[in-house]
Amino acid sequence: MDVASSKAGPITGISSMAMRHVLAELSAAYERQSGQPVAIVSVGGVDAARRVGDGEAFDFVVLAADAIEQLAAGGHIDPGSRTDLARSPVAIAVAAGATRPDISNELALRDVVLRACSIGYSTGPSGAHLVGLFERWGIADAIAPRIVRAPPGVPVGTLVARGDVELGFQQLSELMHLPGIEVIGLLPAEIEVATVFSAATCTASNRAAAAKALLFFLASPEADAAKRRHGMEPACAGA
């Protein structure tokens, strides 16, 4: 145990909502192992990137890889500390007890989307992928009145559970823990996408060494089982 480090208080971080469950489990494991407390705020990815960009005093940040690259370009994180942590697939959910539609292939899913009374997705990477998909399918204008985009930090699954959305799309890690919904599968293989989530130390931090030690743990094989429990794969899987 690094007594001096632990007496300095918790290492502070900010992450997108998709990583909150796995980071909560792993930060608790790290504290038990090292004696170093960790405090992580999880918010919508857009808000997290903005707060780091505004210079808010976090020691590290965990976001989708493209957002980390943008923060690096702006000088807000140490690019040499960037560590890829996990790959997260996009899943589809309906309300618990609802009929499970056929999403076995791209054409079947397109038909399901066209028939849905409402379609929900997030402001994050999964939402951006879906926007491009709907445009490629040529249905973006037709379904525009039925699109419900979840506000930053609001899980799409909560909209599905309360009946605001019939068909919801988001990272599996964000859907799988929510009550009142049923995850019916991932995007079909032809259109699947996995978001890579990365971590880096913030330039506003004065505890870069302690934060880097935590990131090393988060990327280690010791963290792999927790990632899989929360619907993710280690970033190095299949590499």
Side-chain angles (χ1 to χ4, degrees), residues 29-56:
Y30 184 74
E31 181 170 352
R32 288 193 299 270
Q33 181 184 104
S34 68
Q36 170 60 64
V38 181
I40 303 174
V41 175
S42 294
V43 296
V46 173
D47 288 341
R50 175 188 55 77
R51 290 171 67 173
V52 173
D54 287 346
E56 200 164 330

Side-chain angles (χ1 to χ4, degrees), residues 4-91:
S5 181
S6 62
K7 284 184 177 179
I11 302 168
T12 61
I14 188 168
S15 83
S16 58
M17 297 292 283
M19 289 290 291
R20 68 189 183 281
H21 292 294
V22 68
L23 288 175
E25 179 175 338
L26 289 174
S27 61
Y30 184 74
E31 181 170 352
R32 288 193 299 270
Q33 181 184 104
S34 68
Q36 170 60 64
V38 181
I40 303 174
V41 175
S42 294
V43 296
V46 173
D47 288 341
R50 175 188 55 77
R51 290 171 67 173
V52 173
D54 287 346
E56 200 164 330
F58 293 105
D59 296 311
F60 69 97
V61 58
V62 181
L63 288 171
D66 59 346
I68 291 291
E69 289 170 3
Q70 291 171 11
L71 289 173
H76 304 296
I77 58 111
D78 171 12
S81 70
R82 174 179 165 171
T83 306
D84 292 340
L85 300 182
R87 295 171 56 84
S88 177
V90 176

